[in-house]
Amino acid sequence: MRRNERLDDNLVAMAAAFNGFQASLWTAMPGIVVAFDPAAMTAQVQPAIQARLVDRAGAATWVTLPVLVDCPVVFPAGGGFTLTFPIAVGDECLVIFASRCIDAWWQLGGVQVQAELRLHDLSDGFVIPGGRSQPHVIPSLSTTDVVLRSDDGTAKVSIKANKDIDLTTTANITMSATEVNIVGVVNITGNVATTGTLTNNGHSVGSNHVHGGVSTGAGNTGVPT
């Protein structure tokens, strides 16, 4: 029996009971992804905080918690749109534990009864990617712009405080659409290669346009047709 279980002190007994109750509640903790299932949108996560166990003699040891399985991954989403990104083994994350069993909801959606009457359990975690320890902070983090970027900063889209938008990459940019409309002045530095018809004010300026009124000598050509 532990010493605090032998003390004839109601306050000590209540504190010990309350501490024991808190120790059984799981709320949130950092984790490390060990597997990701894109089809199910779930991850397996190794909790990154060890648990402290005390035996009957009062000796304490630190143990690594088991891997959490089938944890739904939370991507920003709403209104029929979702922002997704790759989840890689070794990514750090935050695991939030639901206060009630999520099994039936996870399998069926909608409003469901509780499959088990467990509370704040390690089995009911949601994964929020992106929590970072100091060894893995993002370098050169902007304190003024809204940025969608690769971790190394070589590819990024920045919305600046003055409403300018910058797009930067060391690779290629591909746009596929039925039609692309640009309103405003376009400045291009570098070479331009086109495939298909190129028109200006309704006149072809590509490889298939011709000029009228042409004669050998110093005269000018006619307008494109």
Side-chain angles (χ1 to χ4, degrees):
M1 181 178 292
R2 299 178 208 166
R3 181 173 180 272
N4 61 2
E5 293 176 341
R6 299 195 302 267
L7 290 177
D8 186 18
D9 189 317
N10 288 336
L11 291 179
V12 172
M14 290 177 60
F18 188 69
N19 288 337
F21 173 74
Q22 283 186 305
S24 67
L25 296 180
W26 299 99
T27 54
M29 71 169 62
I32 301 170
V33 174
V34 299
F36 175 62
D37 183 349
M41 291 178 59
T42 59
Q44 297 182 36
V45 177
Q46 172 62 63
I49 304 296
Q50 290 186 318
R52 183 175 181 267
L53 296 183
V54 180
D55 62 21
R56 295 182 63 84
T61 57
W62 293 97
V63 297
T64 299
L65 294 170
V67 171
L68 310 176
V69 300
D70 293 332
C71 299
V73 177
V74 180
F75 291 105
F81 296 90
T82 305
L83 173 62
T84 67
F85 34 82
I87 303 295
V89 173
D91 281 354
E92 293 179 312
C93 62
L94 179 66
V95 186
I96 303 294
F97 300 103
S99 63
R100 300 295 187 274
C101 174
I102 67 170
D103 289 356
W105 166 84
W106 178 63
Q107 294 174 6
L108 303 173
V111 180
Q112 304 295 335
V113 298
Q114 299 176 52
E116 293 185 21
L117 299 180
R118 59 185 183 236
L119 307 174
H120 299 276
D121 196 89
L122 291 174
S123 301
D124 301 311
F126 288 83
V127 174
I128 302 177
R132 291 176 180 267
S133 60
Q134 284 299 298
H136 298 99
V137 295
I138 297 174
S140 303
L141 184 71
S142 175
T143 59
T144 58
D145 302 349
V146 177
V147 183
L148 174 63
R149 55 171 284 174
S150 59
D151 284 354
D152 63 7
T154 59
K156 60 184 176 180
V157 179
S158 303
I159 302 178
K160 298 185 174 298
N162 63 359
K163 309 304 188 296
D164 284 350
I165 299 177
D166 288 350
L167 192 157
T168 303
T169 182
T170 56
N172 299 323
I173 298 174
T174 301
M175 292 190 298
S176 298
T178 303
E179 183 174 325
V180 177
N181 298 303
I182 301 175
V183 178
V185 177
V186 178
N187 298 307
I188 300 175
T189 300
N191 300 324
V192 178
T194 65
T195 301
T197 302
L198 180 64
T199 60
N200 178 46
N201 291 328
H203 297 289
S204 172
V205 294
S207 59
N208 295 324
H209 85 274
V210 297
H211 294 265
V214 176
S215 59
T216 303
N220 294 325
T221 65
V223 296
T225 58

